[in-house]
CSV table of all heavy atoms in Angstrom, one decimal:
chain,number,residue,atom,x,y,z
B,28,ILE,N,96.1,-86.1,113.4
B,28,ILE,CA,95.2,-87.2,113.3
B,28,ILE,C,95.6,-88.1,112.1
B,28,ILE,O,95.5,-89.3,112.3
B,28,ILE,CB,93.7,-86.6,113.1
B,28,ILE,CG1,93.3,-86.0,114.4
B,28,ILE,CG2,92.8,-87.7,112.7
B,28,ILE,CD1,92.0,-85.2,114.3
B,52,ARG,N,110.3,-117.4,111.9
B,52,ARG,CA,111.4,-117.9,111.1
B,52,ARG,C,112.5,-118.4,112.0
B,52,ARG,O,113.0,-119.6,111.8
B,52,ARG,CB,111.9,-116.9,110.1
B,52,ARG,CG,112.1,-117.5,108.7
B,52,ARG,CD,112.6,-116.4,107.7
B,52,ARG,NE,111.5,-115.9,107.0
B,52,ARG,CZ,111.3,-114.7,106.5
B,52,ARG,NH1,112.2,-113.8,106.8
B,52,ARG,NH2,110.3,-114.4,105.8
B,53,ALA,N,112.9,-117.7,113.0
B,53,ALA,CA,113.9,-118.1,113.9
B,53,ALA,C,113.5,-119.4,114.7
B,53,ALA,O,114.3,-120.3,114.8
B,53,ALA,CB,114.2,-116.9,114.9
B,67,PRO,N,118.5,-139.5,115.6
B,67,PRO,CA,119.1,-140.8,116.1
B,67,PRO,C,118.4,-141.4,117.3
B,67,PRO,O,118.3,-142.6,117.4
B,67,PRO,CB,120.5,-140.3,116.5
B,67,PRO,CG,120.5,-138.8,116.4
B,67,PRO,CD,119.4,-138.4,115.6
B,94,ILE,N,105.3,-128.5,123.9
B,94,ILE,CA,106.0,-129.3,122.9
B,94,ILE,C,105.3,-130.6,122.7
B,94,ILE,O,105.0,-131.3,123.7
B,94,ILE,CB,107.5,-129.5,123.3
B,94,ILE,CG1,108.2,-128.1,123.5
B,94,ILE,CG2,108.3,-130.3,122.2
B,94,ILE,CD1,109.6,-128.2,124.0
B,95,ARG,N,105.1,-131.0,121.4
B,95,ARG,CA,104.4,-132.3,121.3
B,95,ARG,C,105.1,-133.0,120.1
B,95,ARG,O,105.4,-132.4,119.1
B,95,ARG,CB,103.0,-132.0,120.9
B,95,ARG,CG,102.1,-133.1,120.9
B,95,ARG,CD,100.6,-132.6,121.0
B,95,ARG,NE,99.7,-133.7,120.8
B,95,ARG,CZ,99.1,-133.9,119.6
B,95,ARG,NH1,99.2,-133.1,118.6
B,95,ARG,NH2,98.3,-135.0,119.4
B,96,LEU,N,105.4,-134.3,120.5
B,96,LEU,CA,106.1,-135.1,119.4
B,96,LEU,C,105.2,-136.3,119.2
B,96,LEU,O,104.9,-137.1,120.2
B,96,LEU,CB,107.5,-135.5,119.9
B,96,LEU,CG,108.3,-136.4,119.0
B,96,LEU,CD1,108.7,-135.6,117.7
B,96,LEU,CD2,109.6,-136.8,119.7
B,99,ALA,N,105.5,-141.6,113.5
B,99,ALA,CA,104.9,-141.8,112.1
B,99,ALA,C,103.5,-142.4,112.2
B,99,ALA,O,102.6,-142.1,111.4
B,99,ALA,CB,105.8,-142.6,111.2
B,100,GLU,N,103.3,-143.2,113.2
B,100,GLU,CA,102.0,-143.9,113.3
B,100,GLU,C,101.0,-143.0,114.0
B,100,GLU,O,99.8,-143.4,114.2
B,100,GLU,CB,102.1,-145.2,114.1
B,100,GLU,CG,102.9,-146.3,113.4
B,100,GLU,CD,104.4,-146.1,113.5
B,100,GLU,OE1,104.9,-145.7,114.6
B,100,GLU,OE2,105.1,-146.3,112.5
B,110,GLY,N,97.6,-140.7,130.9
B,110,GLY,CA,96.2,-141.0,131.3
B,110,GLY,C,95.5,-139.7,131.7
B,110,GLY,O,94.3,-139.6,131.6
B,134,GLU,N,112.3,-141.1,104.9
B,134,GLU,CA,111.3,-141.8,105.7
B,134,GLU,C,110.8,-140.9,106.8
B,134,GLU,O,111.6,-140.2,107.5
B,134,GLU,CB,112.0,-143.0,106.4
B,134,GLU,CG,111.0,-143.9,107.1
B,134,GLU,CD,111.7,-145.0,108.0
B,134,GLU,OE1,112.9,-145.2,107.8
B,134,GLU,OE2,111.0,-145.6,108.8
B,186,VAL,N,97.7,-57.5,116.0
B,186,VAL,CA,96.5,-57.3,115.3
B,186,VAL,C,95.3,-56.9,116.2
B,186,VAL,O,94.5,-56.0,115.9
B,186,VAL,CB,96.1,-58.5,114.5
B,186,VAL,CG1,94.7,-58.5,114.0
B,186,VAL,CG2,97.0,-58.7,113.3
B,211,ASP,N,108.3,-56.4,109.2
B,211,ASP,CA,107.6,-57.4,108.4
B,211,ASP,C,106.2,-56.9,107.9
B,211,ASP,O,106.0,-55.7,108.0
B,211,ASP,CB,107.4,-58.7,109.3
B,211,ASP,CG,106.7,-58.4,110.6
B,211,ASP,OD1,106.2,-57.3,110.7
B,211,ASP,OD2,106.6,-59.3,111.4
B,224,ARG,N,96.2,-42.8,110.3
B,224,ARG,CA,95.6,-42.2,111.5
B,224,ARG,C,96.1,-40.7,111.6
B,224,ARG,O,95.3,-39.8,111.9
B,224,ARG,CB,96.0,-43.0,112.7
B,224,ARG,CG,95.3,-42.5,113.9
B,224,ARG,CD,95.5,-43.5,115.1
B,224,ARG,NE,96.9,-43.4,115.6
B,224,ARG,CZ,97.3,-43.9,116.7
B,224,ARG,NH1,96.4,-44.6,117.5
B,224,ARG,NH2,98.5,-43.8,117.1
B,236,GLN,N,88.5,-27.1,112.9
B,236,GLN,CA,88.8,-25.7,112.8
B,236,GLN,C,87.8,-25.0,111.9
B,236,GLN,O,87.2,-23.9,112.1
B,236,GLN,CB,90.2,-25.5,112.3
B,236,GLN,CG,90.7,-24.1,112.2
B,236,GLN,CD,90.7,-23.4,113.5
B,236,GLN,OE1,91.0,-24.0,114.6
B,236,GLN,NE2,90.2,-22.2,113.6
B,272,LEU,N,74.0,16.9,98.2
B,272,LEU,CA,75.1,17.9,98.3
B,272,LEU,C,75.8,18.1,96.9
B,272,LEU,O,76.0,19.3,96.5
B,272,LEU,CB,76.1,17.4,99.3
B,272,LEU,CG,77.2,18.5,99.8
B,272,LEU,CD1,76.5,19.5,100.6
B,272,LEU,CD2,78.3,17.8,100.6
B,358,ALA,N,75.1,17.5,67.1
B,358,ALA,CA,75.8,18.7,66.7
B,358,ALA,C,75.2,20.0,67.3
B,358,ALA,O,75.8,20.9,67.8
B,358,ALA,CB,75.9,18.8,65.2
B,436,VAL,N,87.4,16.9,72.4
B,436,VAL,CA,87.7,18.3,72.8
B,436,VAL,C,89.2,18.3,73.1
B,436,VAL,O,89.6,17.7,74.1
B,436,VAL,CB,86.8,18.7,74.0
B,436,VAL,CG1,87.2,20.1,74.4
B,436,VAL,CG2,85.3,18.6,73.7
B,493,PHE,N,89.8,15.2,75.6
B,493,PHE,CA,88.7,14.4,76.2
B,493,PHE,C,87.8,13.9,75.1
B,493,PHE,O,87.6,14.6,74.1
B,493,PHE,CB,87.9,15.3,77.2
B,493,PHE,CG,88.7,15.5,78.5
B,493,PHE,CD1,89.7,16.5,78.6
B,493,PHE,CD2,88.4,14.8,79.6
B,493,PHE,CE1,90.4,16.6,79.7
B,493,PHE,CE2,89.1,14.9,80.8
B,493,PHE,CZ,90.1,15.9,80.8
Side-chain angles (χ1 to χ4, degrees):
I28 290 172
R52 223 176 264 146
I94 301 175
R95 192 159 167 260
L96 177 69
E100 293 80 37
E134 189 188 348
V186 166
D211 57 6
R224 192 172 68 170
Q236 184 60 41
L272 191 69
V436 177
F493 283 81

